[in-house]
Amino acid sequence: MGRPRAFDEDEAVQAAAGLFAAQGYEGTSVDDLVTGLGVHRGSLYKVFGSKRGLYLAALRRHLDQEVLPVAAALAAAPDPAVLLTRAVAAYDGGPAGGFLLLAAAERAPVDPEVAALVEEGLAALDVAVATVLGAEEPPPGEPADGLAGILGATVLGLRLRARAAGTPPPAEAVVAFAGRLAATLPQPPRRA
């Protein structure tokens, strides 16, 4: 009979997501994880197999706990301006804010499993945008095209710029941009 784990696995994965979001995969050492999670190196390897295994678990958790619920809520926005404002403020947010974007830039090009998780998160945003626009959802595995694709890319670009600046985009600027953009868009069909 093995010894019981001396740490909460879900708490450790959540803490790891915060570290990876702040420092990236390459910038987070195993020593950082051991210290930040408060676990022994041997326990970390026993449970997650490797630093990469923990990274994948942390990204999966970030999707399930933060990204996908926000995307589902965004799909209920009453119009594109509200969608854009809410998405810029919250998409890929939560305790591990920016993790999805960082994974897209840093690891997805070199790790197919990370790329699949990133694609899942981005596809959820595309579906939310398409829903609000009353447009056809993009086929699985394909990015949204047309207006839905432009809006999704706008959200991600604004989130990335905010991360680089270290501050969220000013709400007034986002609202003003969203208003100007919405004025150029066809209005979605009214919901019953």
Side-chain angles (χ1 to χ4, degrees), residues 32-133:
D32 292 336
L33 293 167
V34 167
T35 301
L37 278 55
V39 301
H40 293 287
R41 182 180 301 264
S43 297
L44 189 148
Y45 281 112
K46 182 175 181 181
V47 173
F48 302 106
S50 64
K51 173 182 158 183
R52 179 178 174 272
L54 177 55
Y55 182 88
L56 290 171
L59 185 55
R60 176 77 261 167
R61 186 188 191 287
H62 178 58
L63 282 174
D64 291 342
Q65 301 294 317
E66 298 171 26
V67 172
L68 299 180
V70 168
L74 290 174
D79 58 58
V82 172
L83 165 81
L84 182 59
T85 303
R86 290 179 182 168
V88 170
Y91 195 75
D92 192 21
F99 190 13
L100 181 68
L101 286 174
L102 192 56
E106 182 187 33
R107 298 296 303 161
V110 296
D111 189 323
E113 288 186 71
V114 172
L117 292 172
V118 167
E119 179 53 38
E120 183 181 341
L122 299 181
L125 177 61
D126 286 346
V127 168
V129 172
T131 299
V132 172
L133 292 177

Side-chain angles (χ1 to χ4, degrees), residues 157-179:
L158 289 170
R159 292 284 303 177
L160 194 58
R161 290 186 71 170
R163 181 182 171 95
T167 58
E172 302 80 24
V174 174
V175 170
F177 174 75

